[in-house]
Amino acid sequence: DGMATIYVAQEFFDALAVHQFKKTEKGWCERMIDVQVDPNAEFPFRYVLSRGSTAASTVYRTLLPADVEEAEISPDAYGIAQTLGSFIGSSDGLGACLVVDYGKVGPIEASLRAIKDHKIEPALLSPGEADLSVDVDFGLLSRGFRDGGGKHVVVHGPISQRELLHSLGGVEKAYMLADSAESESQKAAVLKSYERLSSPDQMGDIYKAMAVTHSEVPTPVAF
């Protein structure tokens, strides 16, 4: 219908399921979850390694990096990126995607953890009572977008959230908001919030941004 569609994945991919694998003399084995057998253990469940290859390690073998001993992958993340890439590649320039999440250009080894009451804890400590999260493998996402859209898709980044915000005038906007604050405490809160978003030792570097556009579209601002 001639209307543009832009997908924004803000802390979306970190919530998708993952598989964890370890390379052994038997090949890639999968880390599984089993009930705890030690009555004195802190956790109700435990990690165990499969005795050999599993259906997942066989089906997803092409997604596993060759030069590591352990790997954590999200087939769901790859599949969604592939679907979005296919849409963007066939959109005649009217489709795009922006991904903002925490992670790195893989491979990822084992990042699954739980977040409860704004604190990180082991994933198996309190099942059903905490959110689960993983680091996003931006390398795998990029591969998914490219596999889906082929030569008609361009992946920009990832760049750090700090670079994204600064390039979009974040510093200037933060000071404009601070200058219009009604009190000194409100002004300090605005500047502190921007520092939290952009500081390298807080959210500025661990959070990354990636843009995906049609090959006929100019490079997005900041990328």
Side-chain angles (χ1 to χ4, degrees):
D1 57 6
M3 296 186 65
T5 301
I6 300 176
Y7 291 90
V8 178
Q10 168 73 37
E11 292 189 67
F12 169 74
F13 287 105
D14 69 85
L16 299 181
V18 295
H19 291 267
Q20 294 181 349
F21 303 97
K22 184 174 183 178
K23 189 181 294 183
T24 71
E25 65 276 3
K26 299 178 181 179
W28 283 105
C29 293
E30 186 172 6
R31 182 174 288 132
M32 317 287 280
I33 297 175
D34 195 3
V35 294
Q36 183 59 260
V37 295
D38 182 359
N40 298 316
E42 181 181 8
F43 303 160
F45 296 98
R46 60 177 179 146
Y47 291 114
V48 296
L49 200 63
S50 66
R51 297 179 179 178
S53 62
T54 63
S57 66
T58 301
V59 171
Y60 304 131
R61 188 176 302 277
T62 58
L63 299 180
L64 291 170
D67 55 347
V68 297
E69 298 299 315
E70 295 187 31
E72 176 184 87
I73 63 171
S74 174
D76 289 341
Y78 172 82
I80 291 172
Q82 193 175 34
T83 299
L84 290 173
S86 177
F87 166 76
I88 295 169
S90 60
S91 68
D92 294 326
L94 295 176
C97 180
L98 175 65
V99 180
V100 180
D101 223 318
Y102 43 85
K104 65 176 185 178
V105 176
I108 307 292
E109 291 187 358
S111 69
L112 178 65
R113 69 273 194 181
I115 302 175
K116 184 178 181 181
D117 298 328
H118 305 289
K119 297 179 180 180
I120 295 177
E121 63 179 38
L124 302 184
L125 179 60
S126 48
E129 299 177 1
D131 295 327
L132 296 179
S133 179
V134 297
D135 288 345
V136 174
D137 183 349
F138 281 90
L140 186 63
L141 280 189
S142 177
R143 176 179 169 183
F145 284 119
R146 296 177 195 276
D147 287 349
K151 65 180 181 180
H152 301 296
V153 160
V154 178
V155 178
H156 310 272
I159 61 175
S160 69
Q161 179 168 278
R162 172 175 51 86
E163 292 176 283
L164 176 70
L165 293 175
H166 287 358
S167 297
L168 294 176
V171 174
E172 293 80 5
K173 291 182 176 66
Y175 276 99
M176 287 175 62
L177 287 172
D179 289 340
S180 63
E182 297 179 355
S183 65
E184 288 299 317
S185 61
Q186 190 179 63
K187 179 178 181 178
V190 169
L191 296 179
K192 184 177 181 180
S193 295
Y194 186 77
E195 181 183 7
R196 178 171 178 267
L197 291 171
S198 60
S199 175
D201 58 353
Q202 297 190 57
M203 297 172 64
D205 279 353
I206 186 61
Y207 276 76
K208 304 290 192 296
M210 172 185 284
V212 187
T213 62
H214 192 276
S215 57
E216 296 180 358
V217 174
T219 301
V221 175
F223 290 92

